[in-house]
Structures are given as structure tokens and as C-alpha cells.
Amino acid sequence: MKSRSYFPQTELLSRVVLVVAIGSTVLLLGLVMSKCDSTKTSKLPVEQITVADDGLTISAVVYTNTCGHPERLVFDQTSTEVRVGALVRIESGPCDDVGVAYRLTGTLLAPLSNRTVRSG
């Protein structure tokens, strides 16, 4: 003979409470982990900008600490100037705060021509 619960609503309620508790815990852990994200991407100024003979290829040096990982050069281009910066992924944590130089190369959308090149 099967045993029957005399309080099926209580059993259902306890299951709902358990599911809500587990869901809340997972959500809370997700929020905590997102706040602990140790990486951000920043645009940093560059130095030693050089333009290749083709007028399209630019290389520059970006300085960062040991937690910085340069990804690429970025260009803000107008009809009169080109501003060059570097996208750098920066991890938080213990870092040596020394100037680590990285040379990056990128390509403009249009030849430099008479436009001015600036860091920025």
C-alpha cells in the first residue's frame, strides 16, 4: 500500500522554497563573481609614433605595468588629424609598476596624406 502525504500543499511549498533558495544562491554568487572580475580594457596614450612609407601603416609604443596586455592600436580619424591610442587589457592584482614597453602596429582606413598624427 502506498503511503500518502496528508499535507501535499506543505510538501509542494517546501519544494518551491528549496528551488527559490537555490536560485537565489546562484544569482548571488553570479553577482559576487561579476564584481570580482579582475580584467578591464582601457585606451592608453602611445609614444614614438611612426608612419610607414605606404602612409597607411602606423606603429607606436605603449607603456604599461606587468598587468597590462596590449591588444591593438585604435585610431580616431578626421579629415585633419589622426589620434592614435592603444587598447590594453588590464588585470587587477599584484603588479610590478614598471614601464613595460610594447610596440603595436595598425592600419589606417585611408592614407595619412597631410593629416597630423597625435597620441590620444
Side-chain angles (χ1 to χ4, degrees):
M1 181 192 244
K2 290 185 180 178
S3 89
R4 298 186 100 185
S5 172
Y6 293 105
F7 303 104
Q9 293 172 338
T10 305
E11 185 178 320
L12 178 62
L13 181 61
S14 64
R15 287 183 182 182
V16 168
V17 168
L18 179 63
V19 168
V20 169
I22 290 172
S24 298
T25 303
V26 168
L27 180 63
L28 183 60
L29 283 173
L31 290 173
V32 168
M33 293 305 290
S34 71
K35 294 295 181 188
C36 294
D37 185 12
S38 61
T39 303
K40 67 178 184 175
T41 301
S42 296
K43 181 180 172 186
L44 299 180
V46 296
E47 298 180 20
Q48 303 173 21
I49 302 170
T50 59
V51 180
D53 291 338
D54 65 4
L56 290 169
T57 306
I58 292 186
S59 69
V61 173
V62 62
Y63 290 92
T64 184
N65 61 19
T66 56
C67 289
H69 306 282
E71 294 183 347
R72 63 185 171 92
L73 289 180
V74 290
F75 306 106
D76 294 324
Q77 302 182 55
T78 67
S79 61
T80 59
E81 74 177 9
V82 174
R83 291 194 176 268
V84 183
L87 274 186
V88 178
R89 186 173 35 87
I90 301 171
E91 296 177 9
S92 63
C95 306
D96 291 332
D97 221 11
V98 296
V100 180
Y102 295 92
R103 179 160 292 279
L104 301 172
T105 301
T107 304
L108 297 174
L109 296 174
L112 184 62
S113 300
N114 294 328
R115 296 184 290 173
T116 305
V117 179
R118 301 180 193 277
S119 177

Coordinates of all heavy atoms in Angstrom, one line a residue, residues 11-81:
E11 N 4.2 19.9 1.3 CA 5.3 19.3 0.5 C 5.7 20.2 -0.7 O 6.8 20.4 -1.0 CB 5.0 17.9 0.1 CG 6.1 17.1 -0.6 CD 5.7 15.7 -0.9 OE1 5.0 15.1 -0.1 OE2 6.1 15.3 -2.0
L12 N 4.6 20.6 -1.4 CA 4.8 21.5 -2.6 C 5.5 22.8 -2.2 O 6.4 23.3 -2.8 CB 3.5 21.7 -3.2 CG 3.5 22.7 -4.5 CD1 4.4 22.1 -5.6 CD2 2.1 22.9 -4.9
L13 N 5.0 23.3 -1.1 CA 5.6 24.6 -0.6 C 7.0 24.4 -0.2 O 7.9 25.3 -0.6 CB 4.8 25.1 0.6 CG 5.2 26.4 1.2 CD1 5.1 27.5 0.2 CD2 4.5 26.8 2.5
S14 N 7.4 23.3 0.4 CA 8.8 23.1 0.8 C 9.7 23.0 -0.5 O 10.8 23.5 -0.5 CB 9.0 21.9 1.7 OG 8.6 20.8 1.1
R15 N 9.2 22.4 -1.5 CA 9.9 22.2 -2.8 C 10.1 23.6 -3.4 O 11.2 23.9 -4.0 CB 9.2 21.3 -3.7 CG 9.4 19.8 -3.3 CD 8.8 18.9 -4.2 NE 8.9 17.5 -3.7 CZ 8.5 16.5 -4.4 NH1 7.9 16.6 -5.6 NH2 8.6 15.3 -3.9
V16 N 9.1 24.4 -3.4 CA 9.1 25.7 -4.0 C 10.2 26.6 -3.3 O 11.0 27.3 -3.9 CB 7.8 26.4 -4.0 CG1 7.9 27.9 -4.4 CG2 6.8 25.7 -5.0
V17 N 10.1 26.5 -1.9 CA 11.1 27.2 -1.1 C 12.5 26.8 -1.4 O 13.4 27.6 -1.5 CB 10.8 27.1 0.4 CG1 11.9 27.6 1.3 CG2 9.5 27.8 0.7
L18 N 12.7 25.5 -1.6 CA 14.0 25.0 -1.9 C 14.5 25.5 -3.3 O 15.7 25.9 -3.4 CB 14.0 23.4 -1.9 CG 15.3 22.7 -2.2 CD1 16.4 23.1 -1.2 CD2 15.1 21.2 -2.3
V19 N 13.7 25.5 -4.3 CA 14.0 26.0 -5.6 C 14.4 27.4 -5.6 O 15.4 27.9 -6.1 CB 12.9 25.7 -6.6 CG1 13.1 26.4 -7.9 CG2 12.8 24.2 -6.9
V20 N 13.6 28.2 -4.8 CA 13.8 29.7 -4.7 C 15.1 29.9 -4.0 O 15.9 30.8 -4.4 CB 12.6 30.4 -4.0 CG1 13.0 31.8 -3.6 CG2 11.4 30.3 -4.9
A21 N 15.4 29.1 -3.0 CA 16.7 29.3 -2.2 C 17.9 29.0 -3.1 O 18.9 29.7 -3.1 CB 16.7 28.4 -1.0
I22 N 17.8 27.9 -3.8 CA 18.9 27.5 -4.7 C 19.1 28.6 -5.8 O 20.2 29.0 -6.1 CB 18.7 26.1 -5.3 CG1 18.8 25.1 -4.3 CG2 19.7 25.9 -6.5 CD1 18.4 23.7 -4.7
G23 N 18.0 29.1 -6.4 CA 18.1 30.1 -7.4 C 18.7 31.4 -6.9 O 19.5 32.0 -7.5
S24 N 18.3 31.8 -5.7 CA 18.8 33.0 -5.1 C 20.3 32.9 -4.8 O 21.1 33.8 -5.0 CB 18.1 33.3 -3.8 OG 16.7 33.5 -4.0
T25 N 20.7 31.7 -4.4 CA 22.1 31.5 -4.1 C 22.9 31.6 -5.4 O 24.0 32.2 -5.4 CB 22.3 30.1 -3.4 OG1 21.6 30.0 -2.2 CG2 23.8 29.8 -3.1
V26 N 22.5 31.0 -6.4 CA 23.2 31.0 -7.7 C 23.2 32.5 -8.2 O 24.3 32.9 -8.7 CB 22.5 30.1 -8.8 CG1 23.0 30.4 -10.2 CG2 22.6 28.6 -8.4
L27 N 22.1 33.2 -8.1 CA 22.1 34.6 -8.5 C 23.1 35.4 -7.7 O 23.9 36.2 -8.3 CB 20.7 35.2 -8.4 CG 20.5 36.6 -8.8 CD1 20.8 36.8 -10.3 CD2 19.1 37.1 -8.5
L28 N 23.1 35.2 -6.4 CA 24.0 36.0 -5.5 C 25.5 35.7 -5.9 O 26.3 36.6 -5.9 CB 23.7 35.6 -4.1 CG 24.5 36.4 -3.0 CD1 24.3 37.9 -3.2 CD2 24.2 35.9 -1.6
L29 N 25.8 34.4 -6.1 CA 27.1 34.0 -6.5 C 27.5 34.7 -7.8 O 28.7 35.1 -8.0 CB 27.3 32.5 -6.6 CG 27.4 31.8 -5.2 CD1 27.4 30.3 -5.5 CD2 28.7 32.2 -4.5
G30 N 26.6 34.7 -8.8 CA 26.9 35.4 -10.0 C 27.2 36.8 -9.9 O 28.1 37.4 -10.5
L31 N 26.4 37.5 -9.0 CA 26.7 38.9 -8.8 C 28.0 39.2 -8.1 O 28.8 40.1 -8.5 CB 25.6 39.5 -7.9 CG 24.2 39.7 -8.6 CD1 23.2 40.1 -7.6 CD2 24.3 40.7 -9.7
V32 N 28.4 38.3 -7.1 CA 29.6 38.4 -6.5 C 30.8 38.2 -7.4 O 31.8 38.9 -7.5 CB 29.7 37.5 -5.3 CG1 31.1 37.4 -4.7 CG2 28.7 37.9 -4.2
M33 N 30.7 37.2 -8.3 CA 31.7 36.9 -9.2 C 31.9 38.0 -10.3 O 33.0 38.3 -10.7 CB 31.5 35.5 -9.9 CG 31.5 34.3 -9.0 SD 33.1 34.2 -8.1 CE 34.2 33.8 -9.4
S34 N 30.8 38.6 -10.7 CA 30.9 39.7 -11.6 C 31.6 40.9 -11.0 O 32.3 41.6 -11.7 CB 29.5 40.1 -12.2 OG 28.8 40.8 -11.2
K35 N 31.4 41.1 -9.7 CA 32.1 42.2 -9.1 C 33.6 41.9 -8.9 O 34.4 42.8 -8.7 CB 31.5 42.5 -7.7 CG 30.1 43.1 -7.8 CD 30.1 44.4 -8.4 CE 28.7 45.0 -8.5 NZ 28.6 46.2 -9.2
C36 N 34.0 40.6 -8.9 CA 35.3 40.2 -8.7 C 36.1 40.1 -10.1 O 37.2 39.6 -10.1 CB 35.4 38.9 -8.0 SG 34.8 38.9 -6.3
D37 N 35.4 40.5 -11.2 CA 36.0 40.4 -12.5 C 37.3 41.2 -12.4 O 37.3 42.4 -12.1 CB 35.1 41.0 -13.5 CG 35.6 40.8 -14.9 OD1 36.6 40.1 -15.1 OD2 35.1 41.4 -15.9
S38 N 38.4 40.6 -12.7 CA 39.7 41.2 -12.5 C 40.3 41.8 -13.8 O 41.4 42.1 -13.8 CB 40.6 40.2 -11.9 OG 40.8 39.1 -12.8
T39 N 39.5 41.9 -14.8 CA 40.0 42.4 -16.1 C 39.1 43.6 -16.6 O 37.9 43.5 -16.5 CB 40.0 41.3 -17.1 OG1 40.8 40.2 -16.6 CG2 40.7 41.8 -18.4
K40 N 39.8 44.7 -17.1 CA 39.1 45.7 -17.7 C 40.0 46.2 -18.9 O 41.1 45.9 -19.0 CB 38.8 46.9 -16.8 CG 40.1 47.6 -16.4 CD 39.7 48.8 -15.5 CE 41.0 49.6 -15.1 NZ 40.7 50.8 -14.4
T41 N 39.3 46.8 -19.9 CA 40.0 47.3 -21.1 C 40.0 48.8 -21.1 O 39.0 49.4 -20.9 CB 39.4 46.7 -22.4 OG1 39.4 45.3 -22.3 CG2 40.2 47.2 -23.6
S42 N 41.2 49.4 -21.3 CA 41.3 50.8 -21.3 C 42.1 51.3 -22.5 O 42.9 50.6 -23.1 CB 42.1 51.3 -20.0 OG 41.4 51.0 -18.9
K43 N 41.8 52.5 -22.9 CA 42.5 53.1 -24.0 C 43.6 54.0 -23.4 O 43.3 54.9 -22.6 CB 41.6 54.0 -24.9 CG 42.3 54.6 -26.1 CD 41.3 55.5 -26.9 CE 42.0 56.3 -27.9 NZ 41.1 57.2 -28.6
L44 N 44.9 53.6 -23.8 CA 46.0 54.4 -23.2 C 46.7 55.2 -24.3 O 46.7 54.8 -25.5 CB 47.0 53.4 -22.6 CG 46.5 52.5 -21.4 CD1 47.6 51.6 -21.0 CD2 46.0 53.4 -20.3
P45 N 47.4 56.3 -23.9 CA 48.1 57.0 -24.9 C 49.4 56.3 -25.3 O 49.8 55.4 -24.6 CB 48.5 58.3 -24.1 CG 48.5 57.9 -22.7 CD 47.4 56.8 -22.6
V46 N 49.9 56.7 -26.5 CA 51.0 56.0 -27.1 C 52.2 57.0 -27.3 O 51.9 58.2 -27.2 CB 50.7 55.3 -28.4 CG1 49.7 54.2 -28.2 CG2 50.2 56.3 -29.4
E47 N 53.3 56.5 -27.5 CA 54.5 57.3 -27.8 C 55.3 56.7 -29.0 O 54.9 55.7 -29.5 CB 55.5 57.3 -26.6 CG 54.8 57.9 -25.3 CD 55.8 57.9 -24.1 OE1 57.0 57.9 -24.4 OE2 55.3 58.0 -23.0
Q48 N 56.2 57.5 -29.5 CA 57.1 57.0 -30.6 C 56.3 56.5 -31.8 O 56.5 55.4 -32.3 CB 58.0 55.9 -30.1 CG 58.9 56.3 -28.9 CD 59.7 55.1 -28.4 OE1 59.9 54.1 -29.0 NE2 60.2 55.3 -27.1
I49 N 55.4 57.4 -32.2 CA 54.5 57.0 -33.3 C 55.3 57.2 -34.6 O 56.0 58.2 -34.9 CB 53.3 58.0 -33.4 CG1 52.5 57.9 -32.1 CG2 52.4 57.7 -34.6 CD1 51.4 58.9 -32.0
T50 N 55.3 56.1 -35.5 CA 55.9 56.1 -36.8 C 54.9 55.8 -37.9 O 54.0 54.9 -37.6 CB 57.1 55.2 -36.8 OG1 56.7 53.9 -36.5 CG2 58.2 55.6 -35.8
V51 N 55.1 56.4 -39.0 CA 54.2 56.1 -40.2 C 55.1 55.4 -41.2 O 56.1 56.0 -41.6 CB 53.6 57.4 -40.7 CG1 52.7 57.1 -41.9 CG2 52.8 58.1 -39.6
A52 N 54.6 54.3 -41.8 CA 55.4 53.6 -42.8 C 55.3 54.4 -44.1 O 54.4 55.3 -44.3 CB 54.8 52.2 -43.0
D53 N 56.1 54.0 -45.1 CA 56.1 54.7 -46.4 C 54.8 54.6 -47.1 O 54.5 55.5 -47.9 CB 57.3 54.1 -47.2 CG 58.6 54.5 -46.7 OD1 58.7 55.5 -45.9 OD2 59.6 53.8 -47.0
D54 N 54.0 53.6 -46.8 CA 52.7 53.4 -47.5 C 51.7 54.5 -47.1 O 50.6 54.6 -47.7 CB 52.2 52.0 -47.4 CG 51.9 51.6 -46.0 OD1 51.9 52.5 -45.1 OD2 51.5 50.4 -45.8
G55 N 52.0 55.2 -46.0 CA 51.0 56.2 -45.4 C 49.8 55.6 -44.8 O 48.9 56.3 -44.3
L56 N 49.8 54.2 -44.7 CA 48.6 53.6 -44.1 C 49.0 52.9 -42.8 O 48.2 52.7 -41.9 CB 48.0 52.5 -45.0 CG 47.3 53.0 -46.2 CD1 47.0 51.9 -47.2 CD2 46.0 53.7 -45.8
T57 N 50.2 52.4 -42.7 CA 50.6 51.6 -41.5 C 51.3 52.5 -40.5 O 52.2 53.2 -40.8 CB 51.6 50.5 -42.0 OG1 51.0 49.7 -43.0 CG2 52.0 49.6 -40.8
I58 N 50.8 52.4 -39.3 CA 51.3 53.2 -38.1 C 51.7 52.2 -37.0 O 51.0 51.2 -36.8 CB 50.2 54.2 -37.6 CG1 50.0 55.2 -38.7 CG2 50.7 54.8 -36.3 CD1 49.1 56.3 -38.2
S59 N 52.8 52.5 -36.4 CA 53.3 51.7 -35.3 C 53.5 52.7 -34.1 O 53.9 53.9 -34.4 CB 54.5 50.8 -35.6 OG 55.6 51.6 -35.8
A60 N 53.4 52.3 -32.9 CA 53.6 53.1 -31.8 C 53.9 52.3 -30.6 O 53.7 51.1 -30.6 CB 52.3 54.0 -31.5
V61 N 54.4 52.9 -29.5 CA 54.8 52.2 -28.3 C 53.8 52.6 -27.2 O 53.5 53.8 -27.1 CB 56.2 52.6 -27.9 CG1 56.6 52.0 -26.5 CG2 57.2 52.1 -28.9
V62 N 53.3 51.6 -26.5 CA 52.5 51.9 -25.3 C 53.3 51.3 -24.1 O 53.9 50.3 -24.2 CB 51.1 51.3 -25.4 CG1 51.1 49.8 -25.6 CG2 50.2 51.7 -24.2
Y63 N 53.2 52.1 -23.0 CA 53.9 51.7 -21.8 C 52.8 51.3 -20.8 O 51.8 52.0 -20.6 CB 54.7 52.8 -21.2 CG 56.0 53.1 -22.0 CD1 56.0 54.0 -23.0 CD2 57.1 52.3 -21.7 CE1 57.1 54.3 -23.7 CE2 58.3 52.6 -22.5 CZ 58.2 53.5 -23.5 OH 59.4 53.8 -24.2
T64 N 53.0 50.1 -20.1 CA 52.0 49.7 -19.1 C 52.8 48.9 -18.0 O 54.0 48.8 -18.1 CB 51.0 48.8 -19.8 OG1 50.0 48.4 -18.8 CG2 51.6 47.5 -20.4
N65 N 52.1 48.5 -17.0 CA 52.7 47.7 -16.0 C 52.6 46.2 -16.3 O 52.2 45.8 -17.4 CB 52.1 48.0 -14.6 CG 50.6 47.6 -14.5 OD1 50.1 46.9 -15.3 ND2 49.9 48.2 -13.6
T66 N 53.1 45.4 -15.4 CA 53.1 43.9 -15.7 C 51.7 43.3 -15.8 O 51.6 42.2 -16.3 CB 54.0 43.2 -14.7 OG1 53.4 43.4 -13.4 CG2 55.4 43.6 -14.8
C67 N 50.7 44.0 -15.4 CA 49.3 43.5 -15.5 C 48.6 43.9 -16.8 O 47.5 43.6 -17.1 CB 48.5 43.9 -14.3 SG 48.9 43.1 -12.8
G68 N 49.3 44.8 -17.6 CA 48.7 45.3 -18.9 C 49.1 44.4 -20.0 O 50.2 44.0 -20.2
H69 N 48.1 44.1 -20.9 CA 48.3 43.3 -22.0 C 47.7 44.0 -23.3 O 46.5 44.0 -23.5 CB 47.6 41.9 -21.8 CG 48.0 41.2 -20.6 ND1 49.2 40.5 -20.5 CD2 47.4 41.1 -19.4 CE1 49.3 40.0 -19.3 NE2 48.2 40.4 -18.6
P70 N 48.6 44.7 -24.0 CA 48.1 45.4 -25.2 C 47.4 44.5 -26.2 O 47.9 43.4 -26.5 CB 49.4 46.1 -25.7 CG 50.3 46.1 -24.6 CD 50.0 44.9 -23.8
E71 N 46.3 45.0 -26.7 CA 45.6 44.2 -27.7 C 45.8 44.8 -29.1 O 46.1 44.1 -30.1 CB 44.1 44.2 -27.4 CG 43.9 43.4 -26.1 CD 42.4 43.3 -25.7 OE1 41.6 44.0 -26.3 OE2 42.1 42.5 -24.9
R72 N 45.6 46.1 -29.3 CA 45.8 46.7 -30.7 C 45.8 48.2 -30.6 O 45.4 48.8 -29.6 CB 44.6 46.2 -31.6 CG 43.2 46.7 -31.1 CD 42.1 46.1 -32.0 NE 40.8 46.3 -31.4 CZ 40.1 47.4 -31.7 NH1 40.5 48.3 -32.6 NH2 38.9 47.5 -31.1
L73 N 46.2 48.8 -31.7 CA 46.1 50.3 -31.8 C 44.7 50.6 -32.2 O 44.0 49.9 -32.9 CB 47.0 50.8 -32.9 CG 48.5 50.8 -32.5 CD1 49.3 51.4 -33.7 CD2 48.8 51.6 -31.2
V74 N 44.2 51.8 -31.8 CA 42.9 52.3 -32.2 C 43.1 53.7 -32.7 O 44.0 54.5 -32.3 CB 41.9 52.3 -31.1 CG1 41.4 50.9 -30.7 CG2 42.4 53.0 -29.8
F75 N 42.3 54.1 -33.8 CA 42.5 55.4 -34.4 C 41.2 56.1 -34.4 O 40.2 55.6 -34.7 CB 42.9 55.2 -35.9 CG 44.2 54.3 -36.0 CD1 44.1 53.0 -36.5 CD2 45.4 54.8 -35.7 CE1 45.2 52.2 -36.7 CE2 46.6 54.1 -35.9 CZ 46.5 52.8 -36.3
D76 N 41.3 57.4 -34.1 CA 40.2 58.4 -34.2 C 40.6 59.3 -35.4 O 41.5 60.1 -35.2 CB 39.9 59.2 -33.0 CG 39.5 58.3 -31.8 OD1 38.7 57.4 -32.1 OD2 39.9 58.6 -30.7
Q77 N 39.9 59.1 -36.5 CA 40.4 59.8 -37.7 C 39.4 60.9 -38.2 O 38.2 60.6 -38.2 CB 40.5 58.8 -38.9 CG 41.5 57.7 -38.6 CD 41.7 56.7 -39.7 OE1 42.0 57.1 -40.8 NE2 41.5 55.4 -39.4
T78 N 39.9 62.0 -38.5 CA 39.1 63.1 -39.1 C 39.8 63.5 -40.4 O 40.9 62.9 -40.8 CB 39.0 64.3 -38.2 OG1 40.3 64.9 -38.0 CG2 38.5 63.9 -36.8
S79 N 39.3 64.5 -41.0 CA 40.0 65.0 -42.3 C 41.3 65.7 -42.0 O 42.1 65.9 -42.9 CB 39.0 65.8 -43.1 OG 38.7 67.0 -42.3
T80 N 41.5 66.1 -40.8 CA 42.7 66.9 -40.5 C 43.7 66.2 -39.6 O 44.9 66.6 -39.5 CB 42.3 68.3 -39.8 OG1 41.6 68.0 -38.6 CG2 41.5 69.1 -40.8
E81 N 43.2 65.2 -38.8 CA 44.2 64.6 -37.9 C 43.8 63.1 -37.6 O 42.7 62.7 -37.9 CB 44.3 65.3 -36.6 CG 43.1 65.2 -35.7 CD 43.4 65.9 -34.4 OE1 44.4 66.6 -34.2 OE2 42.5 65.7 -33.5

